[in-house]
Amino acid sequence: MSANGEQSGAFGFPHRHLLGIEGLSPLEIGFLLSLSQDYADRNDRGSGRSALLEGRTVINLFFENSTRTRTSFELAGKRLGADVINMQVGWSSIKKGETLIDTAMTLNAMHPDVLVVRHPDSGAVSLLSQKVDCAVINAGDGSHEHPTQALLDALTIIRRRGALKDLTIAICGDISHSRVARSNIHLLTTMGARVRAIAPPTLMPRAIERLGVEPHFDMRKGLADCDIVMMLRLQTERMQGSFVPSIREYFRFFGLDKEKLLAAKPDALIMHPGPMNRGVEIDSEIADDIDRSLIREQVEMGVVVRMACLDTLTRHLRPDVAPVGAAAS
Ligand code: ASP
């Protein structure tokens, strides 16, 4: 069985859950991206709202803090007419294993149609998906995967550059602790982009080359001729011990500023998944540069990507659903 679970009656996306990007085919990723684009076009025309999920229930179950991801899923569900319930589970009530499964069983008894789950432990969302009857979307599990972030990043790039294939994309910063980096690496390499990872040795996972990525330990060398520069936050909440000598030193060597950016292509575009630490991994001037920063557009694309994911994973519930690939045109 695939990591995302199998679904009978295959549509363009023959999986029951969206737990990660790893293992998805270019066609499946392409399906989700073109449906997302379709929703973006509908939003632009002012016809983004629908009753597609009327009578359906989406539960946002967040065991970790989130502002943009939770709000984005909430908005996506509401734009499709679903009843959306937000459940924030505090740190104090996380006892791992049993609590997670207990929570899953309780929610399952309420018969939701989709569970959107964020959890601080890698693998927890997958475990939960095995215990419930509904579709599960991983909204970030530990340092493992954050599939909808990678999809919204890909959509943002495609809207600016036309395609992902043959672009050179640098992912810079705390690669070791980043689920955003992992999901993006899987997606971008699957879709034919050249991916570089730039980090200090303490924040670079061992054997990252096995994921088809070129590792770099120097920003200027790693950024040379890049089309896209994707910055990451220092994920101090996942660090045990000290990984950088000081914030000041980290910014000096790995923070994106005007001077380091000169190594990239003159029209290179800047991305960051947020929340952003200005002056730690990115200089404010670059983050706010309206000609080069895609950060605002990333947030905007988050909603349409999540609409596409909710639509896709509930298609088996709708008898009037379009045939295979119809939405991908
Ligand atoms: N918002 C992203 C995540 O949940 C990135 C970050 O927190 O730095 O992984």
Side-chain angles (χ1 to χ4, degrees), residues 20 58-59 124 132 143 163 165 168 172 183 235 242 248 299 322 324 327:
V58 175
I59 300 185
V132 296
S143 49
K165 194 163 161 39
T168 302
C172 321
S183 289
Q235 321 247 306
S242 163
R248 217 168 131 180
V299 178
V324 177

Side-chain angles (χ1 to χ4, degrees), residues 78-317:
K78 286 182 172 164
R79 283 211 184 140
L80 293 174
D83 295 324
V84 183
I85 292 158
N86 293 313
M87 282 190 61
Q88 178 78 45
V89 186
W91 278 99
S92 55
S93 49
I94 301 178
K95 296 278 191 295
K96 296 188 186 162
E98 271 219 332
T99 302
L100 176 70
I101 302 308
D102 283 350
T103 311
M105 298 320 293
T106 307
L107 292 179
N108 198 44
M110 297 177 195
H111 305 296
D113 298 293
V114 184
L115 266 178
V116 177
V117 188
R118 170 168 285 193
H119 197 282
D121 293 335
S122 303
V125 182
S126 169
L127 180 67
L128 187 142
S129 75
Q130 293 160 28
K131 308 285 175 194
V132 296
D133 302 318
C134 63
V136 175
I137 300 180
N138 181 2
D141 63 325
S143 49
H144 176 227
E145 283 236 34
H146 191 352
T148 55
Q149 177 73 46
L151 288 164
L152 74 88
D153 289 342
L155 183 64
T156 307
I157 299 171
I158 292 169
R159 282 163 63 92
R160 287 297 186 106
R161 288 287 184 260
L164 298 168
K165 194 163 161 39
D166 297 331
L167 290 179
T168 302
I169 301 175
I171 306 179
C172 321
D174 184 0
I175 312 275
S176 281
H177 301 98
S178 175
R179 52 196 178 207
V180 174
R182 220 148 270 113
S183 289
N184 263 302
I185 289 170
H186 291 306
L187 191 151
L188 296 168
T189 53
T190 303
M191 300 309 270
R194 281 182 293 271
V195 182
R196 296 181 190 160
I198 312 177
T202 46
L203 295 174
M204 182 78 84
R206 253 182 273 148
I208 193 155
E209 299 89 334
R210 286 199 208 139
L211 298 180
V213 171
E214 208 181 287
H216 284 269
F217 300 97
D218 178 276
M219 277 290 265
R220 287 173 194 81
K221 284 188 191 149
L223 290 180
D225 294 321
C226 273
D227 297 283
I228 307 285
V229 184
M230 209 179 261
M231 298 308 296
L232 300 171
R233 183 175 64 88
L234 272 183
Q235 321 247 306
T236 45
E237 74 276 24
R238 278 191 255 291
M239 293 181 190
Q240 270 145 15
S242 163
F243 286 78
V244 294
S246 71
I247 294 299
R248 217 168 131 180
E249 193 140 329
Y250 180 77
F251 183 72
R252 183 158 156 240
F253 289 101
F254 291 94
L256 188 65
D257 56 17
K258 244 181 166 172
E259 194 270 316
K260 294 190 196 81
L261 189 57
L262 286 174
K265 284 192 178 156
D267 61 348
L269 297 168
I270 319 301
M271 304 178 79
H272 193 301
M276 196 161 45
N277 288 316
R278 293 166 183 266
V280 178
E281 68 263 357
I282 190 163
D283 190 58
S284 266
E285 205 185 334
I286 307 257
D288 299 332
D289 181 340
I290 49 166
D291 296 321
R292 304 189 69 174
S293 171
L294 299 181
I295 297 169
R296 207 180 50 92
E297 207 168 317
Q298 286 174 271
V299 178
E300 202 183 322
M301 289 307 109
V303 178
V304 293
V305 158
R306 285 155 185 145
M307 288 171 87
C309 293
L310 291 172
D311 171 347
T312 300
L313 293 179
T314 52
R315 286 188 171 201
H316 64 289
L317 302 170

